[in-house]
Amino acid sequence: MIVTVTPNPAVDLTITTPMFDPGTTQVVPPARRRAGGKGLNVARVLAQTGHATRAIAPVGKEEAGWFAADLGDGLETDFLSCEGATRCTYAIVESETGRTSMITETGPARTRDEWNGLVDLVERNTSEARTLVMSGSLPPSHPEDLVSDVVGLGRAAGVRVIADLSKRALLSAARAGADVLKPNLDELRTATGVADPIEGARTLQREGARLVFVSLGEEGMLAVPADPSEAVLHARLGRVLRGNPTGAGDAAVAAISIGANDEAPAEALRRAVAWSAAAVLTPLAGTLHQSHPDLLHEVVVSQT
């Protein structure tokens, strides 16, 4: 069982238009509404590829039933019902240019009791988990110890812990000893203040992290092992795919999460790049294009 934790889920609204013209009034087809948040997107991809998964998240009490129904029967959910409504995100997809613009709400205020309830949910689920994924943004109201508490619960239970976080939360996950971190290049620079991705990953490892994957966008992904004597690996697809990139990082996390701690980094890296590319080819985050097995054979892995 892979358990995902999404501290700041969202109602994702995707608007598609031939061209987005800021400052004008445009008439568009109805927006697609979907239960979202990075951890939930990870869980969707895992369910689509046949892996047992359970999604944990705090959601507004009025939306809890809709969230579970929208995620469908392919995955389990364990939601914490909260007073404040779940935030919304807005993706504006331009069909003519392939560009996507994102507007993202920060998230509602949650009480300390609600955050304690979320940590309790994580603790109850670690007994069945082989991997624990904590993914996504954190709303402004989150307690300082939330990330270290969640990562610490996984570590104490002997569960593999993967974190896809940003800013101070990324550093907190490193210091709590997360087994795998998966920042993108901007998140890594913001958290560490280091421009070079390999040196940035080494900064996280000096804080306590182990294996670090760094997303480089169209340039692929790096895998930086904790042991400096092991080679740093770079993987990329041999061509650039156009589409909606909003769920690419979540697909990569899902790909990494199905492996074991002793899996060769090259295999996890190859799968992460292929699944990330397959996510770009779909209109909604949390899904893979059916070509993902073929894309796996197109990924080129090299030492750097």
Side-chain angles (χ1 to χ4, degrees):
M1 174 73 70
I2 300 171
V3 174
T4 70
V5 182
T6 309
N8 200 18
V11 178
D12 285 344
L13 298 167
T14 301
I15 300 166
T16 302
T17 181
M19 185 78 71
F20 177 50
D21 188 7
T24 67
T25 299
Q26 295 179 244
V27 179
V28 299
R32 287 167 291 188
R33 186 170 182 256
R34 189 172 171 89
K38 292 178 72 65
L40 297 186
N41 292 337
V42 172
R44 284 185 188 273
V45 171
L46 289 170
Q48 180 188 343
T49 52
H51 295 88
T53 182
R54 182 176 299 147
I56 297 174
V59 298
K61 63 182 181 180
E62 302 299 328
E63 300 125 355
W66 174 79
F67 261 78
D70 190 68
L71 289 167
D73 298 328
L75 62 89
E76 298 179 26
T77 60
D78 197 355
F79 292 147
L80 180 71
S81 181
C82 299
E83 287 297 323
T86 310
R87 70 187 177 120
C88 291
T89 69
Y90 309 85
I92 304 172
V93 180
E94 299 177 50
S95 57
E96 289 186 0
T97 66
R99 293 180 302 195
T100 299
S101 301
M102 294 295 302
I103 301 172
T104 303
E105 295 179 356
T106 56
R110 303 287 185 210
T111 67
R112 183 68 206 215
D113 284 346
E114 288 172 336
W115 288 120
N116 289 342
L118 180 65
V119 173
D120 289 343
L121 274 186
V122 174
E123 185 172 21
R124 291 200 295 271
N125 279 279
T126 54
S127 62
E128 298 180 65
R130 65 177 178 85
T131 299
L132 178 67
V133 177
M134 187 177 192
S135 189
S137 65
L138 300 174
S141 67
H142 78 278
E144 288 294 321
D145 53 1
L146 177 65
V147 172
S148 59
D149 283 351
V150 170
V151 174
L153 285 172
R155 299 280 294 141
V159 173
R160 183 179 185 230
V161 181
I162 301 172
D164 180 13
L165 304 166
S166 61
K167 299 180 182 177
R168 294 173 61 185
L170 183 63
L171 290 173
S172 295
R175 291 165 182 158
D179 296 285
V180 179
L181 297 181
K182 206 274 327 152
N184 62 35
L185 190 55
D186 287 340
E187 291 165 343
L188 184 63
R189 288 170 175 165
T190 300
T192 65
V194 179
D196 180 80
I198 297 176
E199 288 306 310
R202 294 295 184 209
T203 299
L204 293 178
Q205 289 165 340
R206 286 191 288 271
E207 293 287 346
R210 298 179 185 184
L211 179 60
V212 178
F213 292 87
V214 184
S215 296
L216 305 176
E218 292 180 355
E219 297 301 315
M221 184 176 294
L222 295 175
V224 184
D227 185 346
S229 68
E230 296 182 23
V232 174
L233 302 175
H234 175 238
R236 64 174 299 172
L237 205 64
R239 55 194 172 108
V240 176
L241 301 179
R242 299 300 179 190
N244 181 7
T246 53
D250 304 327
V253 172
I256 294 165
S257 72
I258 67 174
N261 267 339
D262 59 355
E263 181 181 38
E267 294 307 309
L269 183 63
R270 184 185 302 277
R271 189 169 59 246
V273 170
W275 286 23
S276 180
V280 170
L281 296 176
T282 62
L284 297 174
T287 56
L288 298 183
H289 191 268
Q290 61 185 7
S291 64
H292 68 87
D294 298 324
L295 290 170
L296 191 66
H297 301 296
E298 294 186 42
V299 178
V300 178
V301 180
S302 59
Q303 296 185 6
T304 187

